[in-house]
Short mmCIF file of all heavy atoms in Angstrom, two decimals:
data_model
loop_
_atom_site.label_atom_id
_atom_site.label_comp_id
_atom_site.label_asym_id
_atom_site.label_seq_id
_atom_site.Cartn_x
_atom_site.Cartn_y
_atom_site.Cartn_z
N LYS A 51 1.84 -44.24 18.83
CA LYS A 51 2.61 -43.00 18.86
C LYS A 51 1.66 -41.80 18.74
O LYS A 51 0.84 -41.81 17.86
CB LYS A 51 3.62 -43.02 17.77
CG LYS A 51 4.50 -41.79 17.64
CD LYS A 51 5.40 -41.89 16.42
CE LYS A 51 6.17 -40.62 16.21
NZ LYS A 51 7.02 -40.66 14.96
N ALA A 52 1.85 -40.84 19.60
CA ALA A 52 0.97 -39.65 19.51
C ALA A 52 1.13 -38.96 18.18
O ALA A 52 2.24 -38.77 17.66
CB ALA A 52 1.38 -38.67 20.63
N GLY A 53 0.00 -38.61 17.58
CA GLY A 53 0.04 -37.92 16.30
C GLY A 53 0.33 -38.81 15.13
O GLY A 53 0.64 -38.32 14.05
N SER A 54 0.26 -40.16 15.28
CA SER A 54 0.58 -41.07 14.18
C SER A 54 -0.43 -40.95 13.08
O SER A 54 -1.56 -40.38 13.24
CB SER A 54 0.62 -42.49 14.68
OG SER A 54 -0.70 -42.93 15.08
N ILE A 55 -0.08 -41.48 11.94
CA ILE A 55 -1.00 -41.42 10.78
C ILE A 55 -2.24 -42.21 11.12
O ILE A 55 -3.36 -41.84 10.75
CB ILE A 55 -0.31 -41.96 9.51
CG1 ILE A 55 0.67 -40.94 8.98
CG2 ILE A 55 -1.30 -42.42 8.47
CD1 ILE A 55 1.33 -41.28 7.68
N ASP A 110 -6.31 -39.17 20.80
CA ASP A 110 -4.85 -38.85 20.67
C ASP A 110 -4.62 -37.47 21.24
O ASP A 110 -5.22 -36.53 20.82
CB ASP A 110 -4.48 -38.95 19.20
CG ASP A 110 -3.01 -38.79 18.98
OD1 ASP A 110 -2.42 -37.73 19.35
OD2 ASP A 110 -2.38 -39.73 18.43
N TRP A 111 -3.70 -37.36 22.21
CA TRP A 111 -3.47 -36.08 22.86
C TRP A 111 -2.97 -35.02 21.87
O TRP A 111 -3.39 -33.85 21.95
CB TRP A 111 -2.47 -36.21 24.01
CG TRP A 111 -1.04 -36.45 23.58
CD1 TRP A 111 -0.46 -37.69 23.46
CD2 TRP A 111 -0.06 -35.50 23.20
NE1 TRP A 111 0.85 -37.54 23.02
CE2 TRP A 111 1.11 -36.18 22.88
CE3 TRP A 111 -0.05 -34.09 23.17
CZ2 TRP A 111 2.29 -35.57 22.46
CZ3 TRP A 111 1.10 -33.45 22.80
CH2 TRP A 111 2.26 -34.17 22.44
N LEU A 112 -2.14 -35.40 20.94
CA LEU A 112 -1.60 -34.42 19.98
C LEU A 112 -2.67 -33.91 19.09
O LEU A 112 -2.88 -32.67 18.88
CB LEU A 112 -0.46 -35.07 19.14
CG LEU A 112 0.21 -34.10 18.17
CD1 LEU A 112 0.89 -32.96 18.88
CD2 LEU A 112 1.26 -34.89 17.30
N MET A 147 2.01 -27.09 12.36
CA MET A 147 2.38 -27.85 11.18
C MET A 147 3.78 -28.48 11.32
O MET A 147 4.03 -29.62 10.89
CB MET A 147 2.40 -26.96 9.95
CG MET A 147 1.00 -26.47 9.51
SD MET A 147 -0.15 -27.82 9.15
CE MET A 147 -1.21 -27.73 10.65
N LYS A 148 4.68 -27.80 11.99
CA LYS A 148 6.04 -28.34 12.24
C LYS A 148 5.94 -29.52 13.19
O LYS A 148 6.66 -30.50 12.99
CB LYS A 148 6.97 -27.25 12.79
CG LYS A 148 7.32 -26.16 11.81
CD LYS A 148 8.18 -25.10 12.48
CE LYS A 148 8.48 -23.96 11.49
NZ LYS A 148 9.30 -22.86 12.10
N VAL A 149 5.09 -29.41 14.16
CA VAL A 149 4.92 -30.53 15.13
C VAL A 149 4.36 -31.70 14.37
O VAL A 149 4.82 -32.87 14.56
CB VAL A 149 3.99 -30.11 16.32
CG1 VAL A 149 3.63 -31.34 17.12
CG2 VAL A 149 4.73 -29.07 17.16
N LEU A 150 3.31 -31.47 13.57
CA LEU A 150 2.72 -32.55 12.77
C LEU A 150 3.77 -33.19 11.83
O LEU A 150 3.88 -34.42 11.79
CB LEU A 150 1.54 -32.01 11.91
CG LEU A 150 0.82 -33.00 11.02
CD1 LEU A 150 0.19 -34.09 11.85
CD2 LEU A 150 -0.20 -32.31 10.16
N GLY A 151 4.52 -32.32 11.17
CA GLY A 151 5.60 -32.84 10.30
C GLY A 151 6.62 -33.64 11.06
O GLY A 151 7.16 -34.61 10.57
N GLY A 152 6.92 -33.18 12.30
CA GLY A 152 7.90 -33.84 13.07
C GLY A 152 7.60 -35.28 13.44
O GLY A 152 8.50 -36.04 13.82
N GLN A 153 6.31 -35.65 13.33
CA GLN A 153 5.94 -37.02 13.58
C GLN A 153 6.29 -37.96 12.42
O GLN A 153 6.34 -39.16 12.58
CB GLN A 153 4.39 -37.13 13.80
CG GLN A 153 3.84 -36.20 14.88
CD GLN A 153 4.54 -36.42 16.20
OE1 GLN A 153 4.55 -37.50 16.75
NE2 GLN A 153 5.13 -35.35 16.73
N PHE A 154 6.66 -37.39 11.29
CA PHE A 154 6.87 -38.18 10.09
C PHE A 154 8.23 -37.95 9.47
O PHE A 154 8.53 -38.56 8.43
CB PHE A 154 5.77 -37.93 9.09
CG PHE A 154 4.38 -38.03 9.69
CD1 PHE A 154 3.63 -36.93 9.95
CD2 PHE A 154 3.89 -39.28 10.06
CE1 PHE A 154 2.41 -37.00 10.51
CE2 PHE A 154 2.62 -39.37 10.62
CZ PHE A 154 1.86 -38.22 10.85
N VAL A 155 9.05 -37.05 10.01
CA VAL A 155 10.42 -36.80 9.51
C VAL A 155 11.37 -37.14 10.58
O VAL A 155 11.16 -36.79 11.78
CB VAL A 155 10.57 -35.33 9.03
CG1 VAL A 155 10.42 -34.39 10.17
CG2 VAL A 155 11.89 -35.15 8.32
N LEU A 156 12.43 -37.87 10.21
CA LEU A 156 13.41 -38.32 11.21
C LEU A 156 14.33 -37.18 11.61
O LEU A 156 14.83 -37.12 12.71
CB LEU A 156 14.18 -39.52 10.67
CG LEU A 156 15.09 -40.24 11.66
CD1 LEU A 156 14.28 -40.80 12.86
CD2 LEU A 156 15.82 -41.37 10.97
N LEU A 407 7.27 -47.00 6.81
CA LEU A 407 7.54 -45.58 6.81
C LEU A 407 7.72 -45.06 8.25
O LEU A 407 6.99 -45.53 9.18
CB LEU A 407 6.40 -44.82 6.17
CG LEU A 407 6.17 -45.07 4.66
CD1 LEU A 407 4.86 -44.42 4.23
CD2 LEU A 407 7.35 -44.41 3.90
N TYR A 408 8.60 -44.10 8.43
CA TYR A 408 8.73 -43.47 9.74
C TYR A 408 7.42 -42.79 10.05
O TYR A 408 6.82 -42.08 9.26
CB TYR A 408 9.86 -42.47 9.72
CG TYR A 408 10.06 -41.79 11.08
CD1 TYR A 408 10.58 -42.48 12.15
CD2 TYR A 408 9.75 -40.46 11.22
CE1 TYR A 408 10.76 -41.86 13.38
CE2 TYR A 408 9.93 -39.81 12.44
CZ TYR A 408 10.42 -40.55 13.53
OH TYR A 408 10.60 -39.90 14.70
N GLY A 409 6.91 -43.00 11.25
CA GLY A 409 5.65 -42.42 11.69
C GLY A 409 4.46 -43.30 11.43
O GLY A 409 3.31 -42.97 11.78
N MET A 410 4.72 -44.46 10.86
CA MET A 410 3.60 -45.43 10.60
C MET A 410 4.08 -46.83 11.00
O MET A 410 5.23 -47.19 10.95
CB MET A 410 3.23 -45.43 9.10
CG MET A 410 2.54 -44.19 8.60
SD MET A 410 2.11 -44.28 6.85
CE MET A 410 1.05 -45.73 6.84
N ASP A 412 4.23 -48.53 13.70
CA ASP A 412 5.01 -48.87 14.91
C ASP A 412 4.42 -50.05 15.63
O ASP A 412 5.13 -51.01 15.97
CB ASP A 412 4.98 -47.67 15.88
CG ASP A 412 5.63 -46.42 15.28
OD1 ASP A 412 5.06 -45.92 14.29
OD2 ASP A 412 6.67 -45.93 15.79
N HIS A 435 10.91 -28.87 6.78
CA HIS A 435 9.46 -29.12 6.84
C HIS A 435 8.75 -28.72 5.57
O HIS A 435 7.75 -29.34 5.15
CB HIS A 435 8.82 -28.43 8.06
CG HIS A 435 9.25 -29.00 9.33
ND1 HIS A 435 10.01 -28.40 10.28
CD2 HIS A 435 8.95 -30.25 9.87
CE1 HIS A 435 10.18 -29.19 11.35
NE2 HIS A 435 9.57 -30.30 11.10
N LEU A 438 9.04 -31.61 3.49
CA LEU A 438 8.45 -32.81 4.05
C LEU A 438 6.94 -32.84 3.80
O LEU A 438 6.36 -33.86 3.46
CB LEU A 438 8.69 -32.87 5.51
CG LEU A 438 7.68 -33.84 6.26
CD1 LEU A 438 8.08 -35.26 5.98
CD2 LEU A 438 7.57 -33.51 7.71
N LEU A 442 4.33 -35.69 2.93
CA LEU A 442 3.36 -36.27 3.89
C LEU A 442 2.00 -36.38 3.28
O LEU A 442 1.29 -37.36 3.47
CB LEU A 442 3.35 -35.36 5.13
CG LEU A 442 2.21 -35.70 6.15
CD1 LEU A 442 2.38 -37.08 6.68
CD2 LEU A 442 2.26 -34.63 7.27
#
Side-chain angles (χ1 to χ4, degrees):
K51 177 183 175 183
S54 68
I55 284 184
D110 187 298
W111 70 267
L112 183 62
M147 291 303 105
K148 291 178 182 178
V149 171
L150 179 64
Q153 305 304 302
F154 310 107
V155 64
L156 190 59
L407 293 171
Y408 181 71
M410 288 180 62
D412 300 64
H435 290 113
L438 161 76
L442 171 60

